[in-house]
Amino acid sequence: MVRKFRFFVGVFCLGMLGIGLARAAHRHKTPAKESTLEILCSELEKSFEKRNWGKPDCKSLDWIVKGRSVLGRPLVVGEFGDPAAKNTTLFLSMVHGDEITPLYLGFEMIRWAKENMPRLKDTRLIIAPLVNPDGF
């Protein structure tokens, strides 16, 4: 009896949590026209210019959109090297919205990967330079 009650309470709590998250996600969605990759690249360029970091390699890269943030912004990655490689490395940057420097490092890693990955055999590198676009 106690075991069934605990199970019911656990399922109920998870259900309520799911409803709360779904409502929060719905409440914070932005229109599709504001969540395009072009707008994200424009925001990145403005941020880089403000900090004298040069231009991010944003528009020339073939981004892979892996999903959308809570606010509807694209979650993008760049893939370099052999897709069938046994050795794959995932590089994440800009996780915390108030720590801007990793964003620069993520784009520097993209610049390095474009130049150097063709020489590396059986290696794949996936770079997500902006893991938290809503915090950015």
Side-chain angles (χ1 to χ4, degrees):
M1 176 74 171
V2 172
R3 193 179 282 174
K4 286 182 183 177
F5 178 74
R6 285 183 184 160
F7 175 77
F8 174 77
V9 170
V11 169
F12 176 77
C13 290
L14 285 174
M16 295 309 292
L17 176 65
I19 290 170
L21 290 174
R23 284 185 180 162
H26 177 71
R27 203 173 30 241
H28 295 294
K29 280 191 176 177
T30 57
K33 65 180 182 179
E34 293 181 7
S35 63
T36 64
L37 191 55
E38 291 82 21
I39 290 175
L40 179 64
C41 284
S42 177
E43 290 173 354
L44 287 168
E45 285 177 358
K46 288 176 189 173
S47 178
F48 272 57
E49 184 178 315
K50 177 181 169 184
R51 292 169 175 80
N52 295 319
W53 288 349
K55 277 201 160 215
D57 193 4
C58 188
K59 293 181 181 174
S60 68
L61 193 64
D62 291 328
W63 293 106
I64 299 168
V65 178
K66 291 291 189 176
R68 299 272 175 194
S69 69
V70 171
L71 297 179
R73 292 182 176 95
L75 300 171
V76 296
V77 299
E79 292 189 11
F80 305 91
D82 181 7
K86 295 177 186 175
N87 179 14
T88 299
T89 301
L90 175 62
F91 184 92
L92 305 173
S93 68
M94 193 62 192
V95 175
H96 302 111
D98 61 345
E99 298 171 354
I100 194 76
T101 307
L103 180 63
Y104 176 75
L105 296 174
F107 278 93
E108 283 299 304
M109 183 60 108
I110 287 170
R111 192 178 334 262
W112 178 89
K114 285 176 77 173
E115 293 174 11
N116 295 292
M117 287 302 293
R119 296 185 305 213
L120 300 175
K121 303 279 189 242
D122 197 31
T123 302
R124 180 179 178 208
L125 177 60
I126 302 170
I127 302 172
L130 185 58
V131 175
N132 182 2
D134 296 341
F136 166 72

